[in-house]
Amino acid sequence: MNIAVHNNLKALVDYYHENKLSHTYLLETNDIEKCYAELKIIIKNINCPHEYQDNCANCNLCKLLDNNYLPSFLVIEPDGKIIKKEQILDLKTRFSTIPIYTKENIYIIKNAECLNATSANMMLKFIEEPENNILGFFITNNVNNVISTIKSRCEIVKVFYEANMDSIYNNPYFSLVYSYLQKIELEKSKAILYNKSIFLNNANLDYNLIFKLMLDIYIQAIKVKMGEEDQEYSEQFAFLLKNDLKELRRREQIISAYLEELIYNVNIELFLDKFVIELSDFNE
Ligand SMILES: [Zn+2]
C-alpha cells in the first residue's frame, strides 16, 4: 500500500486486514485537521470496493465518504466548546441499524476533550458493546483532557507530525518554552528555579504541548547541526547549537521519554525537577 499518511495510521489498515483492529481508538495528535483528513483516507482504504488508489475517484462509496454523505459514517465536532448530548443521540439513532454499504458503522469524534460528562456517558454504550459492528475514532490534542471513562476504554495511538519552523513559531507556548530553554541551557546550575518561575507559577498549562514543542525545537536543532541550512534558526537558537550533536540527541531522547510519561498522571513539580536535572547533566 502506497498512501501518504502517518505510519501509525497506516498500521490500522494492516490490523484491519489481519482482523486485529480494536473497536475504539483515541488518536492523539498535534494537528487535528490533518489527522482527521488522513483518517478518512484510511477509512476509504479499508472500505473501497476496488483496489484503493490515492484519491479514489472511481467509486460512489469513496465519493460519499469524502463528502460525509455515507449513512454508515458520521463525524461529530464540538458545537461551540462542547459536544452536546443531542449530537450523541443522533449518533445512536443513526447507528441503531446495521451498516449497509460498509462492514461497520463508523464514527469520528473530533476534539474528544469537548465531551462533557453527560455526552461521554451516552457514548460509553457504543464502546462497551463492540459486537454491533461499530468502529469509533476519537481525536484529541491531549489524551489527558479526555474524560477518563472514555480514555480507559480506547486504544491510544499517537499521530504526531513533524514540525516545521512555522509551526514552532506559531505554537501558543513558543515564547514561554523559548525563554525556559534559553535559561536552562545557559544557567544550568539554577535550572530548577526556572521550573517554578516560568512554568509552575502559571496555572493550567498544557504540558503535553509544551514537551512536544521542546522536542520539535531540539529535532530542528539536530537538523541544523547536521548541515540542513536554516539561517534564521541558527541565530535564534545559538544557545542550543553550542551543544554537539551527541548532546542534542541525548536531550531529544530525554524529552521524548518524558513526553511518553505524561500520558500518566504525574506530579508535575517532581516531574519537572527530575526532568531538568537529567537534561542539564550536572556532571559536566
Ligand atoms: Zn473507492
Side-chain angles (χ1 to χ4, degrees), residues 88-120:
I88 307 300
L89 272 174
D90 180 41
L91 172 67
K92 285 195 159 186
T93 313
R94 281 269 293 270
F95 286 3
S96 58
T97 52
I98 54 161
I100 301 169
Y101 302 104
T102 52
K103 210 169 128 207
E104 285 95 5
N105 282 313
I106 304 167
Y107 64 85
I108 299 177
I109 297 190
K110 288 161 89 173
N111 296 92
E113 70 282 357
C114 297
L115 284 162
N116 62 13
T118 315
S119 38

Side-chain angles (χ1 to χ4, degrees), residues 44 48-50 52 56-59 61-62:
K44 283 192 282 183
C48 179
H50 309 280
Y52 182 81
C56 173
N58 299 326
C59 70
L61 192 88
C62 285

Side-chain angles (χ1 to χ4, degrees), residues 244-282:
D244 62 20
L245 196 53
K246 193 172 154 233
E247 258 310 303
L248 288 173
R249 288 221 164 96
R250 188 183 70 85
R251 284 157 161 72
E252 181 202 4
Q253 280 169 10
I254 292 170
I255 296 168
S256 173
Y258 274 78
L259 184 63
E260 291 288 322
E261 248 184 79
L262 276 173
I263 289 182
Y264 311 103
N265 285 323
V266 294
N267 174 321
I268 201 67
E269 194 168 345
L270 293 177
F271 177 86
L272 287 173
D273 287 353
K274 211 170 124 231
F275 166 72
V276 92
I277 289 169
E278 209 173 318
L279 193 83
S280 308
D281 190 358
F282 285 114

